[in-house]
Amino acid sequence: MPALPQSPRRSTACLTLALLCALFPSQQLAQNPSPLLEPTGIAYDSAGNLYIADSARHQVFEATLGGVWLVIAGSGVQGFAGDGGTAVNAELNAPQAVAVGADGTLYIADTANQRIRAVSNGVIATIAGNGSAGFSGDNGPAMLASLDQPNALALDSSGALLVCDSANHRLRRISSGTIYTLAGNGVQGFAGDGGLATSAELDTPSGVTVSADGRIFLSDAHNNRIRVIATNGVITTDAAQLSLPLGLAATSSGALVFADTNNQRLRNIDASGNISTLAGSGVQGSAPDGSIALNAALDTPVGVAISTFGNPTFADTSNRTIRILAGNGNLYLPAALASARSSSVALTLPPSALYGQAAAGVAVSGSVPTPQGLVQIFDGNTLAAQAPLTNSVASLSLATLSAGTHTLHAVYSGDGLNPASSGSPSILAITPAALLATANPETILYGSAIPALTGSLSGVLPQDAGNVAAVFTTTAQRLSPAGVYPIAASLSGTASANYSVTLSTASGSLHIVPAPTATTEQQPAQNSYVGLPLLLGAGVVSGTSGVPTGSVNFVEGSSVIASASLSNGTASAVYLSPAAGTHSLVASYSGDSNFTPSVSSAITALVLPMPDFILATSGSATQTVQPGAIATYTLVISAQPAPFTGAVSMSVSGLPAGATASFAPPQLVPGSASTGTVLSVQTVAPVVQMHSISARMALCATALPLFFLVGRRRTIPACAALCLFSLMLGCGSRSVPEQTQSAQSYMLTVTGTSTNLAGALVVHSTTITLNVQ
């Protein structure tokens, strides 16, 4: 192909037309059997997929890493349409460049439409250019600006888009929707090295890239130079003595790879400034797939990109294809353009492995030597592991596979040269890994709540940190008897099923020890008396929970005076015969298997003498009365000691014959003081005889009615006899009394009888004297 004229002063329209015609002869396009007609600009995304702008097909294609050919934008109809719609249905017009943002946005230089368009999530939109060829809009909205033949794109570290506005002889920058000039004053020519890039003259800039250090490299195509713009905005020439340099790309090592188009070569400038040829013999022509790069004939290399594997890639435009420089020094088509290519992947697995220790080997063979790229192992449809190939093989850890049986297969993602492939399934059994748990010993009081048991767990893999833990338990409960209980360990957490656990020999136990108790003694009744049992009581409570059992001794000094068993925490006993006086008593709990002994504080019990009474007279104890008179005595019942609450019944003995006695009242209760009763003795009156006529007459008078009323002869003699008897008793003499009782002194015994608090009979007496004259 003839080189383009080198005139630095041709008009923009003529220059652009000449460039296009020289690069892409129409007769060649019509005869092309390839899916590509005029591949010009190319770019890789971060995943390794290659995007290709085909200016003759008016489309953008993708050659995936795995070897699939896709249409990304453009219906194939030349024109402008489709903004806001699906990118594959849009119309493009001779797109010459692509770039891919970090977020996956695809930028397209829609060259003959004088626009920059972007595809995001499959939707296309214009982001710069109003569609009119020209120059305008700097420092304003990019969509209102005029562009003229934008033909190369690149992104800087900030995500701003660099555009070679080739027919305007400028490099422009679009950031946050605003466009401005970064290099070129708009004059077609060569000038300005050593000065600000915005003041320099350029001639049809047609390639741009940004190095890792921020410098911008620019193909100043018709000046046959590569120029560099430093971070301070100063422009200089980086390489000369070239012939129509177009596409260029910076490598991670600081080298610059570019298409020396009319020299039919792909060349390299290393970080030290040394230039060398990477591909192309300098002969314009074609070479078969797999040719040695330095011996291969090329035809108008244009776009340049560096693959994710560091392989220089270029559009061999007039050969209507894409070439990749492999690590073995040969040139290959992308796998998507080489249908005969194939690859195979082999998975090597052990039949079983311990959880966390499983590993696999994967080997990939391909049509292009030494496949590169990523291999993945899937457990069913779940990704289990992935790793990059090194010399066609990879070792993959399967440490994350859970315990159980797994059906695994390996997948090779491709490297752009060798297509993706998938291997046959293999079976792997994962057995749980052993963990060692050590329980911390724990001691608690009987009746306490079982605490959260703790311990340590060793052997957990770092990948499961925080996802598996030991749970320590015991069969003991809150009221389990005092003793030693083993602690068991189990596992919890999302990763627990991948492990088994055993207890170490150093693991501790749960010790339940008797709980402390508190014993309190009840205060006996306030009034306790000799002869009465002294009721004793005590309560024993746990310092935790539960009810103590066992017995309580009631102790006075060193002597046990009573004992009793606890029932529901209380004990009752009797001190049968306490002596009168003050007693200091304590209750001593003996403890049981779950509770410790305890002793109450001493209490003081006062035992009083048994209450009694005394009987005495008040006033004279001797009374003298005439026969038939009443003798009275005042008697006093006094508590000694007080109080005496029994009822005292009064009685008297030794009374004269025929005399009677009464008490008022007959019963009395002395209480805490004394009370009195009055004894009345009724003596007997003397007997008197009366001899008188009147008496006799009375008798006769009694008999006379009988004499007249009876009327029977046999009664007359009887009545007469009665009257005669009455007359014989006396004859008219007076009545004369006759004494029948002589003077006498009597010793009387007055007795009070009652029952004391002990139920015993209490009897006290006193004597009084009765003189009857």
Side-chain angles (χ1 to χ4, degrees):
M1 177 180 180
L4 289 176
Q6 300 300 304
S7 170
R9 291 292 181 268
R10 69 176 57 88
S11 70
T12 297
C14 293
L15 182 148
T16 302
L17 180 61
L19 178 63
L20 290 174
C21 292
L23 292 179
F24 315 120
S26 59
Q27 291 181 351
Q28 292 177 330
L29 300 183
Q31 299 171 357
N32 178 39
S34 166
L36 294 173
L37 288 180
E38 293 178 4
T40 50
I42 62 174
Y44 282 98
D45 66 14
S46 59
N49 302 301
L50 178 64
Y51 297 85
I52 305 160
D54 190 327
S55 62
R57 288 199 184 276
H58 313 290
Q59 290 176 298
V60 174
F61 299 102
E62 177 184 358
T64 70
L65 187 69
V68 177
W69 187 260
L70 301 172
V71 177
I72 298 301
S75 64
V77 175
Q78 183 177 16
F80 174 75
D83 267 4
T86 305
V88 294
N89 295 325
E91 293 179 2
L92 306 177
N93 193 353
Q96 291 192 24
V98 288
V100 185
D103 62 354
T105 299
L106 175 67
Y107 298 94
I108 303 170
D110 195 0
T111 305
N113 277 326
Q114 317 301 338
R115 287 176 170 92
I116 306 298
R117 301 174 84 176
V119 179
S120 178
N121 298 317
V123 176
I124 193 168
T126 296
I127 65 166
N130 58 19
S132 298
F135 174 76
S136 68
D138 258 7
N139 302 312
M143 291 184 64
L144 301 180
S146 293
L147 306 175
D148 196 351
Q149 301 299 314
N151 66 357
L153 302 175
L155 290 157
D156 66 16
S157 59
S158 71
L161 185 66
L162 307 183
V163 181
C164 284
D165 194 359
S166 66
N168 280 321
H169 310 291
R170 284 179 168 89
L171 177 66
R172 302 178 83 176
R173 185 174 191 265
I174 302 169
S175 177
S176 301
T178 300
I179 191 168
Y180 59 91
T181 296
L182 192 65
N185 60 11
V187 175
Q188 183 180 15
F190 173 75
D193 268 4
L196 290 177
T198 53
S199 301
E201 294 179 1
L202 306 176
D203 191 349
T204 320
S206 300
V208 62
T209 190
V210 181
S211 67
D213 60 9
R215 289 179 299 163
I216 299 171
F217 291 87
L218 186 66
S219 292
D220 195 358
H222 286 159
N223 282 320
N224 299 308
R225 286 177 169 85
I226 294 175
R227 302 176 83 174
V228 59
I229 303 168
T231 55
N232 61 0
V234 173
I235 191 169
T236 55
T237 294
D238 186 63
Q241 297 182 356
L242 310 175
S243 182
L244 196 66
L246 294 178
L248 70 171
T251 70
S252 58
S253 64
L256 183 68
V257 178
F258 65 96
D260 195 358
T261 304
N262 280 350
N263 281 320
Q264 313 300 336
R265 286 181 171 88
L266 183 71
R267 303 180 78 180
N268 177 78
I269 302 173
D270 65 19
S272 300
N274 299 312
I275 192 168
S276 60
T277 296
L278 298 177
S281 63
V283 175
Q284 184 177 11
S286 63
D289 193 40
S291 298
I292 297 173
L294 292 174
N295 297 335
L298 308 180
D299 194 349
T300 321
V302 178
V304 177
I306 306 298
S307 78
T308 52
F309 305 105
N311 296 328
T313 304
F314 62 95
D316 195 0
T317 304
S318 293
N319 281 319
R320 303 175 181 89
T321 194
I322 306 297
R323 304 283 189 183
I324 300 174
L325 177 58
N328 63 355
N330 293 347
L331 292 178
Y332 295 93
L333 299 174
L337 295 176
S339 59
R341 297 258 183 90
S342 64
S343 67
S344 62
V345 56
L347 174 64
T348 303
L349 284 176
S352 65
L354 199 63
Y355 172 73
Q357 297 183 11
V362 177
V364 177
S365 59
S367 300
V368 177
T370 317
Q372 302 180 85
L374 191 70
V375 288
Q376 298 173 311
I377 295 178
F378 284 86
D379 181 8
N381 293 323
T382 303
L383 179 64
Q386 63 183 21
L389 290 170
T390 302
N391 295 324
S392 303
V393 298
S395 295
L396 295 90
S397 171
L398 298 175
T400 60
L401 284 182
S402 60
T405 301
H406 300 267
T407 300
L408 306 177
H409 68 280
V411 173
Y412 171 53
S413 61
D415 60 4
L417 292 170
N418 294 288
S421 58
S422 180
S424 301
S426 298
I427 304 298
L428 173 62
I430 302 295
T431 57
L435 301 180
L436 192 64
T438 303
N440 294 328
E442 190 73 48
T443 300
I444 64 169
L445 297 173
Y446 169 82
S448 297
I450 303 300
L453 301 175
T454 61
S456 60
L457 188 64
S458 60
V460 176
L461 297 177
Q463 68 197 37
D464 293 327
N467 293 322
V468 62
V471 178
F472 296 96
T473 58
T474 178
T475 58
Q477 300 177 354
R478 188 184 192 103
L479 294 179
S480 293
V484 179
Y485 295 85
I487 296 175
S490 60
L491 299 175
S492 68
T494 56
S496 60
N498 298 318
Y499 297 92
S500 62
V501 63
T502 57
L503 279 171
S504 74
T505 56
S507 194
S509 301
L510 173 67
H511 295 254
I512 300 179
V513 299
T517 59
T519 299
T520 56
E521 188 174 7
Q522 299 169 2
Q523 184 68 40
Q526 291 293 327
N527 296 323
S528 298
Y529 300 98
V530 172
L532 289 179
L534 183 62
L535 299 180
L536 304 174
V540 181
V541 297
S542 168
T544 54
S545 62
V547 180
T549 62
S551 61
V552 174
N553 290 330
F554 295 90
V555 180
E556 182 175 15
S558 60
S559 300
V560 177
I561 58 173
S563 296
S565 296
L566 285 170
S567 176
N568 292 324
T570 61
S572 299
V574 176
Y575 189 179
L576 291 176
S577 56
T582 300
H583 298 262
S584 179
L585 307 176
V586 296
S588 176
Y589 169 55
S590 60
D592 64 13
S593 60
N594 295 321
F595 294 98
T596 60
S598 58
V599 179
S600 72
S601 300
I603 57 104
T604 299
L606 179 62
V607 178
L608 302 174
M610 180 62 71
D612 203 348
F613 68 91
I614 58 175
L615 177 62
T617 58
S618 176
S620 175
T622 300
Q623 298 289 328
T624 301
V625 298
Q626 294 295 323
I630 296 174
T632 60
Y633 300 86
T634 300
L635 298 163
V636 177
I637 304 296
S638 302
Q640 187 62 39
F644 189 84
T645 57
V648 181
S649 298
M650 303 302 298
S651 64
V652 62
S653 62
L655 293 170
T660 61
S662 64
F663 291 89
Q667 284 188 329
L668 59 161
V669 178
S672 297
S674 61
T675 186
T677 185
V678 176
L679 171 62
S680 297
V681 179
Q682 175 68 60
T683 61
V684 177
V687 177
V688 180
Q689 297 183 349
M690 302 296 292
H691 306 288
S692 64
I693 294 175
S694 59
R696 295 187 185 98
M697 290 296 290
L699 183 58
C700 290
T702 303
L704 278 177
L706 297 175
F707 178 76
F708 291 106
L709 294 173
V710 173
R712 294 186 181 181
R713 290 178 181 172
R714 61 186 176 189
T715 60
I716 295 173
C719 293
L722 179 59
C723 291
L724 181 61
F725 176 72
S726 299
L727 291 173
M728 289 177 66
L729 289 175
C731 288
S733 59
R734 296 183 178 179
S735 297
V736 179
E738 187 174 323
Q739 182 72 42
T740 62
Q741 181 175 346
S742 59
Q744 193 172 350
S745 178
Y746 298 92
M747 186 67 69
L748 306 181
T749 301
V750 179
T751 301
T753 303
S754 185
T755 301
N756 66 13
L757 294 174
L761 192 65
V762 180
V763 178
H764 293 288
S765 300
T766 188
T767 59
I768 56 176
T769 301
L770 174 63
N771 294 320
V772 180
Q773 293 183 349

